[in-house]
Amino acid sequence: MQRILVTGGAGYIGSHTCLRLLEEGYDVLVVDNFCNSKSESLERVKQITGRSLTFYEVNICDRNAMQKIFEAHDIDAVIHFAGLKAVGESVQKPMEYYYNNVYGTLVLCEEMAKAGVKNIVFSSSATVYGLSDDVPFAEDAPTSATNPYGRTKLFIENILSDLKIADKDWSITLLRYFNPVGAHKSGLIGEDPNGIPNNLMPYISQVAVGRLEKLQVLGDDYPTTDGTGVRDYIHVMDLAEGHVKALQGPKIENGPAIYNLGTGKGNSVLEVVKAFENENGIEIPYQIIARRAGDVASSYADPSKAEKHLKWKAKLNLQDMVRDAWNWQKKNPEGYA
Ligand code: NAD
Ligand code: UD1
């Protein structure tokens, strides 16, 4: 069976993807420096799957350590999640974001090439569609960035595209995720953000569990059905499945393969709150406040390309997402701590 190196595999999306890879029979190696995660997530992945995985506490920017890993194992492909992802923090600390995300990817790809491993699946983001409101977004829509985090995603997409042009032996897949939420149905692994969550679903879950008092709805004057922002929420297990499919996808000759991973359906903030309340029988107090800078009214995917080429389609709906998000949070009120 193929051996997959997963960078950032202890994180939110990485841990769920490791679980699916192990279930599918792949051998899994994880490289993570635990700057935004805990090794406990990997212990739980082992517990759920009954399989083992190898992990290295290594920073992907550490060239020597990365080289040793590629020398020690026969690796078939890399799924590259490792990166910093907080938009606001990226505005405060741009150099950290460029160093960690962009330089880290350069080191990774150079060490891959030296070892003859030329298959990478990269975590990009719908953030590359910038401030456009021209939904749904297809993969050929114009791209732009409004903050350093988004720019790291665009730069890396461009770097990997150039790599493919220079050397056709590379297989490069750029996955643009929409809004990943939810957790594995066991409730043993899930999203465990540091500090006060920036994103909607973990914020709602922490209100539900009593860690936060009420949700702030960031604007109700958008041109949407109820005035609140609309996003394409996608269950993290569907996303994990998308990575398995991407590993098995067709090899493209003339450039990177780019796929949106979303459901194609948008839901407003208030629809998510209502779904959470109805599914879980918990009231979520909220207050409407001003818009957040940099937010768009609506963002959702045209997911048809992934369906056509990867035979992948999101299966889980908003009810599944809010149920599983709450199942994880109530079983782990303080996350992995
Ligand atoms: P996460 O923070 O939970 O996971 C990222 C993991 O990478 C963490 O375990 C962290 O410790 C590790 N890491 C970071 N820098 C590292 C380094 N230099 N060396 C080794 N390990 C390092 O985030 P996530 O939500 O699982 O996101 C995974 C990827 O998907 C990120 O690249 C993120 O930008 C991208 N993405 C996430 C979302 C989202 O909403 N969660 C949306 C679009 C794209
Ligand atoms: C945010 C990031 C984006 C990143 C994505 C996934 C910003 C401006 N954008 O996207 O770059 O790729 O996360 O990590 O940070 N909302 C509330 N109250 C809250 C939090 C959010 O009402 O406390 C609203 C937002 O206005 C938005 C929706 O909920 O309409 C979803 O927000 P969020 O979960 O932060 O995701 P995005 O804004 O789509």
Side-chain angles (χ1 to χ4, degrees):
M1 197 33 145
Q2 287 202 325
R3 181 166 297 129
I4 313 298
L5 177 74
V6 183
T7 74
Y12 172 45
I13 306 169
S15 55
H16 289 80
T17 302
C18 288
L19 186 156
R20 278 298 297 134
L21 290 169
L22 291 169
E23 284 179 345
E24 288 292 313
Y26 288 95
D27 284 336
V28 176
L29 280 170
V30 169
V31 172
D32 202 303
N33 64 354
F34 304 117
C35 68
N36 197 37
S37 57
K38 301 196 175 68
S39 58
E40 177 63 18
S41 63
L42 296 173
E43 296 304 329
R44 297 198 185 175
V45 166
K46 290 192 220 166
Q47 186 188 333
I48 296 165
T49 59
R51 290 199 54 202
S52 100
L53 54 73
T54 307
F55 72 83
Y56 290 95
E57 184 168 351
V58 157
N59 188 325
I60 57 164
C61 299
D62 181 343
R63 195 180 287 279
N64 289 334
M66 292 302 289
Q67 184 179 340
K68 283 194 186 118
I69 293 168
F70 281 103
E71 281 168 1
H73 302 274
D74 203 358
I75 292 165
D76 294 288
V78 174
I79 304 183
H80 178 30
F81 293 105
L84 303 174
K85 64 164 186 178
V87 172
E89 185 186 61
S90 80
V91 177
Q92 307 304 321
K93 302 175 180 171
M95 302 309 273
E96 263 182 47
Y97 274 67
Y98 291 122
Y99 181 80
N100 196 73
N101 295 7
V102 180
Y103 179 70
T105 303
L106 294 181
V107 170
L108 171 68
C109 290
E110 282 169 359
E111 292 311 319
M112 287 175 69
K114 272 201 248 161
V117 183
K118 294 190 174 179
N119 188 354
I120 186 168
V121 176
F122 171 63
S123 300
S124 188
S125 166
T127 194
V128 302
Y129 297 117
L131 289 178
S132 166
D133 244 350
D134 193 9
V135 284
F137 298 121
E139 289 82 353
D140 57 1
T143 55
S144 67
T146 54
N147 55 68
Y149 166 72
R151 256 183 293 282
T152 69
K153 293 296 177 196
L154 267 188
F155 289 161
I156 296 168
E157 283 202 357
N158 286 321
I159 289 167
L160 294 177
S161 302
D162 286 340
L163 188 56
K164 172 74 185 181
I165 291 168
D167 180 353
K168 297 269 186 278
D169 288 346
W170 276 87
S171 170
I172 289 172
T173 309
L174 311 176
L175 299 180
R176 293 177 179 163
Y177 316 149
F178 280 70
N179 289 58
V181 296
H184 185 255
K185 61 180 182 330
S186 64
L188 284 171
I189 58 172
E191 186 170 13
D192 182 19
N194 273 333
I196 296 177
N198 297 312
N199 299 116
L200 179 65
M201 193 66 83
Y203 204 107
I204 293 176
S205 300
Q206 291 196 15
V207 170
V209 85
R211 279 170 69 176
L212 295 166
E213 190 195 338
K214 62 180 166 209
L215 173 70
Q216 264 101 41
V217 175
L218 306 173
D220 70 346
D221 55 353
Y222 286 105
T224 58
T225 42
D226 60 21
T228 65
V230 165
R231 296 291 183 275
D232 186 338
Y233 297 95
I234 172 164
H235 197 292
V236 68
M237 290 312 300
D238 276 331
L239 202 60
E241 183 65 19
H243 291 76
V244 175
K245 288 290 191 329
L247 283 177
Q248 300 161 354
K251 192 168 176 204
I252 311 243
E253 288 308 316
N254 298 321
I258 308 179
Y259 300 106
N260 286 334
L261 295 184
T263 64
K265 189 175 171 342
N267 284 108
S268 73
V269 175
L270 293 180
E271 283 168 353
V272 175
V273 170
K274 284 282 156 290
F276 193 99
E277 292 183 330
N278 292 340
E279 185 68 22
N280 299 318
I282 299 171
E283 197 194 332
I284 303 297
Y286 68 84
Q287 159 192 33
I288 312 270
I289 63 163
R291 293 180 179 194
R292 176 171 66 185
D295 273 4
V296 292
S298 291
S299 165
Y300 52 93
D302 171 349
S304 54
K305 191 177 172 197
E307 187 175 357
K308 186 165 171 218
H309 295 284
L310 299 181
K311 313 280 178 263
W312 171 89
K313 194 176 187 297
K315 296 193 183 96
L316 300 167
N317 63 25
L318 187 60
Q319 274 66 40
D320 300 313
M321 300 179 210
V322 295
R323 184 196 60 236
D324 292 338
W326 175 232
N327 184 41
W328 150 255
Q329 190 73 71
K330 81 176 170 218
K331 286 185 176 156
N332 305 271
E334 302 296 329
Y336 291 110

